[in-house]
Amino acid sequence: MAKARNIKMILSYDGSSFMGWQAQPGQRTVQSTVEDVLKIIFDEQIRINAAGRTDAGVHAFGQVAAFSTLSSITTGALQKAINSLLPDDISIISVEDAPEEFHPRYSAKSKTYLYAIDTSSVRNPFFSRYALHARHRLDIESMMQSTGYFIGEHDFASFMGAGTPVKSTVRTISASEITVRGSMVYYTIRGSGFLRHMVRNIVGTLVEVGKGKIPIDGIDEIIKAKDRSMAGPTAPPQGLYLVNVKY
Amino acid sequence: MAKARNIKMILSYDGSSFMGWQAQPGQRTVQSTVEDVLKIIFDEQIRINAAGRTDAGVHAFGQVAAFSTLSSITTGALQKAINSLLPDDISIISVEDAPEEFHPRYSAKSKTYLYAIDTSSVRNPFFSRYALHARHRLDIESMMQSTGYFIGEHDFASFMGAGTPVKSTVRTISASEITVRGSMVYYTIRGSGFLRHMVRNIVGTLVEVGKGKIPIDGIDEIIKAKDRSMAGPTAPPQGLYLVNVKY
């Protein structure tokens, strides 16, 4: 009998028209859209696992997913077949055979997310699905100075969205920085793992710093408080991108 | 009694979620969305005219529209009021008082359209609403060489979509060129006026040149034939942008 292969895919998708990654009855999700295509190709129900279960409206440049198959199809042919059947808002960037023990989520060493903020005074209508529009003038310099507080190993309980309980709210962040290009402000964060809504809650808090409602060093206090009510609101999903996952 | 003012607006919109410019019962259109907002502001039904009635899915960086009002509101306050009430996929770029005789369509000296083609081998999912993805490899050099045939005064009957009859199918094109940036190909065309679907039919024909199905100088023959069946197919709406209107 053929040995099961563990196929690793890198996917890019525009999350605007998806109810997130995870399959849900009656909803258009990325997982179910890809699984439907795999069912056509392999003529059997195939379950895929992803590195990060992105929320509704969240985008991905480099989501990673994997599935198991006994088929001997080449990775090149498989990529072409999947892409030809997928809708225009998802693309498979690469397909490769991975070691048997590879798991997109459990094997991940780091994930990088990007959050886009449009600070132009007149809203750019082309960014409505792709960035947060800041209605107030933001003090970008203060936001830049406060990003450093997130780096390192911290208990991020203050930045965790309500939902499924987790064993530990401690996470390690290796990069947290803001870059500016014209009227666009991009926040990049890289870490070993993230709690539910953690990036969006961090961005919502950084925006409060930009508005002057939270002082630069207030971030330190908010982290120490381990209290969600201390941090800023959850930034909307459309500004968030899963950039890549490293193994 | 106050003299009626003629208000000129420049609008930008992401056409993805609109059934085009023109108001249609039960449809979300740009015209009716803006008119609904003006009705809230002025407490009366106001009819707006546009420079170009863009089709469903077509975008605008600089659409021009005008309407008449007796109100003495400042143009700055009006712009802010409209933008605060409009949905995120339309923005008013500017508002100004125009001469009484100004009409967005009849006063226009030229209109510029841009068409975006994504030639990357793996489709970029973020361009699904914003560009045509070329599934075949295109000979861009040949496309570039053929663009010149459209410049000047020609009978564009071969490039007119079916629909409302027009008095004349002669139009004057002052610019027609292709620029390349990475895997994106941008076609820009400027003219005194355009027939229905004319830009999309020209782009569909240029793509046939890129595929080698129509020779470079075949454009000349197609124009002379005054026969829609000689030209290429109508390129899809999502790659098209009304860039600006000059008066």
Side-chain angles (χ1 to χ4, degrees):
Chain A
M1 196 180 138
K3 192 162 170 288
R5 294 162 69 191
N6 192 9
I7 306 283
K8 174 191 175 192
M9 304 186 289
I10 300 178
L11 300 87
S12 178
Y13 48 84
D14 177 334
S16 311
S17 305
F18 291 102
M19 287 302 293
W21 170 269
Q22 198 160 18
Q24 294 174 65
Q27 300 284 9
R28 182 177 191 255
T29 71
V30 181
Q31 182 187 355
S32 52
T33 302
V34 176
E35 288 182 350
D36 286 351
V37 165
L38 294 178
K39 189 173 182 180
I40 293 168
I41 294 171
F42 294 111
D43 200 25
E44 58 170 328
Q45 188 65 50
I46 285 179
R47 172 71 182 277
I48 59 175
N49 285 301
R53 282 164 294 189
T54 52
D55 290 324
V58 174
H59 313 289
F61 292 136
Q63 169 74 283
V64 176
F67 64 91
S68 172
T69 180
L70 292 170
S71 162
S72 59
I73 186 169
T74 66
T75 51
L78 183 55
Q79 182 185 3
K80 279 192 184 159
I82 302 174
N83 276 333
S84 72
L85 293 168
L86 279 176
D88 283 353
D89 47 359
I90 314 182
S91 270
I92 306 294
I93 304 296
S94 74
V95 175
E96 61 179 53
D97 277 280
E100 199 179 343
E101 65 279 9
F102 173 81
H103 186 286
R105 188 156 67 257
Y106 307 135
S107 309
K109 287 219 166 56
S110 78
K111 278 180 215 164
T112 302
Y113 284 93
L114 179 142
Y115 196 98
I117 304 173
D118 171 20
T119 64
S120 52
S121 58
V122 174
R123 201 181 53 231
N124 183 331
F126 291 94
F127 293 159
S128 65
R129 296 186 178 90
Y130 306 106
L132 161 68
H133 181 247
R135 295 181 188 277
H136 303 74
R137 194 185 284 282
L138 299 178
D139 176 351
I140 309 295
E141 194 54 47
S142 294
M143 291 170 69
M144 282 175 159
Q145 288 175 35
S146 65
T147 56
Y149 289 101
F150 295 105
I151 297 176
E153 188 183 89
H154 300 287
D155 186 328
F156 284 98
S158 293
F159 300 93
M160 181 173 66
T164 331
V166 289
K167 275 187 206 157
S168 164
T169 48
V170 174
R171 294 291 185 273
T172 303
I173 298 301
S174 54
S176 165
E177 61 179 35
I178 281 175
T179 52
V180 178
R181 206 159 68 189
S183 60
M184 295 301 295
V185 173
Y186 298 104
Y187 175 62
T188 304
I189 185 166
R190 181 176 307 122
S192 55
F194 293 88
L195 301 166
R196 186 174 153 83
H197 291 177
M198 179 168 148
V199 182
R200 291 163 56 191
N201 291 339
I202 286 176
V203 171
T205 306
L206 287 173
V207 168
E208 296 293 286
V209 172
K211 289 181 189 170
K213 293 188 180 172
I214 293 176
I216 296 170
D217 58 5
I219 300 292
D220 196 34
E221 272 179 67
I222 295 171
I223 293 174
K224 284 180 180 142
K226 298 174 201 172
D227 174 359
R228 176 71 191 92
S229 72
M230 293 282 284
T234 309
Q238 74 270 13
L240 187 61
Y241 298 75
L242 172 54
V243 176
N244 63 43
V245 188
K246 291 282 166 65
Y247 295 94
Chain B
M1 194 182 136
K3 193 163 171 284
R5 292 162 71 193
N6 193 9
I7 306 283
K8 174 191 174 192
M9 304 185 290
I10 302 180
L11 300 87
S12 178
Y13 48 83
D14 176 335
S16 311
S17 306
F18 291 103
M19 286 302 293
W21 170 269
Q22 197 158 18
Q24 293 175 65
Q27 302 282 11
R28 182 178 192 255
T29 72
V30 182
Q31 183 187 355
S32 52
T33 302
V34 176
E35 288 180 350
D36 286 352
V37 165
L38 294 177
K39 190 173 180 179
I40 293 168
I41 294 172
F42 294 111
D43 199 26
E44 60 170 327
Q45 187 64 51
I46 284 179
R47 173 71 182 276
I48 59 175
N49 285 300
R53 284 165 293 190
T54 52
D55 291 324
V58 174
H59 314 288
F61 293 134
Q63 169 75 281
V64 176
F67 65 93
S68 174
T69 180
L70 293 169
S71 163
S72 59
I73 185 169
T74 66
T75 51
L78 184 55
Q79 182 186 2
K80 278 193 185 160
I82 302 175
N83 276 335
S84 72
L85 293 168
L86 278 176
D88 283 352
D89 48 359
I90 314 182
S91 269
I92 307 294
I93 304 297
S94 74
V95 174
E96 61 180 52
D97 277 280
E100 200 181 339
E101 66 279 10
F102 173 80
H103 186 285
R105 189 157 67 257
Y106 307 135
S107 307
K109 286 216 167 56
S110 77
K111 277 179 216 160
T112 302
Y113 284 94
L114 179 143
Y115 197 98
I117 304 172
D118 169 20
T119 64
S120 52
S121 58
V122 174
R123 200 181 54 232
N124 183 330
F126 293 92
F127 293 159
S128 65
R129 297 183 176 91
Y130 306 105
L132 161 68
H133 181 246
R135 293 182 189 277
H136 303 76
R137 194 186 285 283
L138 299 178
D139 177 349
I140 309 296
E141 193 54 46
S142 294
M143 291 170 70
M144 282 176 160
Q145 287 176 36
S146 66
T147 56
Y149 289 101
F150 295 104
I151 296 175
E153 188 183 88
H154 300 288
D155 186 328
F156 283 99
S158 293
F159 299 93
M160 181 173 68
T164 330
V166 289
K167 276 187 203 153
S168 165
T169 48
V170 173
R171 294 291 183 275
T172 303
I173 298 301
S174 54
S176 164
E177 58 178 37
I178 282 174
T179 52
V180 177
R181 207 159 67 192
S183 60
M184 294 301 295
V185 173
Y186 298 103
Y187 175 62
T188 304
I189 186 167
R190 181 176 306 123
S192 54
F194 292 89
L195 301 166
R196 186 175 151 82
H197 291 175
M198 181 168 146
V199 182
R200 289 165 57 189
N201 290 338
I202 285 175
V203 171
T205 306
L206 287 173
V207 169
E208 295 293 287
V209 171
K211 288 181 190 171
K213 291 187 180 173
I214 292 175
I216 296 170
D217 59 5
I219 301 292
D220 197 34
E221 272 178 65
I222 295 169
I223 293 174
K224 284 180 180 140
K226 296 172 201 170
D227 174 0
R228 177 70 192 93
S229 71
M230 292 283 285
T234 308
Q238 74 271 14
L240 187 61
Y241 299 75
L242 173 53
V243 176
N244 63 43
V245 188
K246 291 281 164 67
Y247 295 93

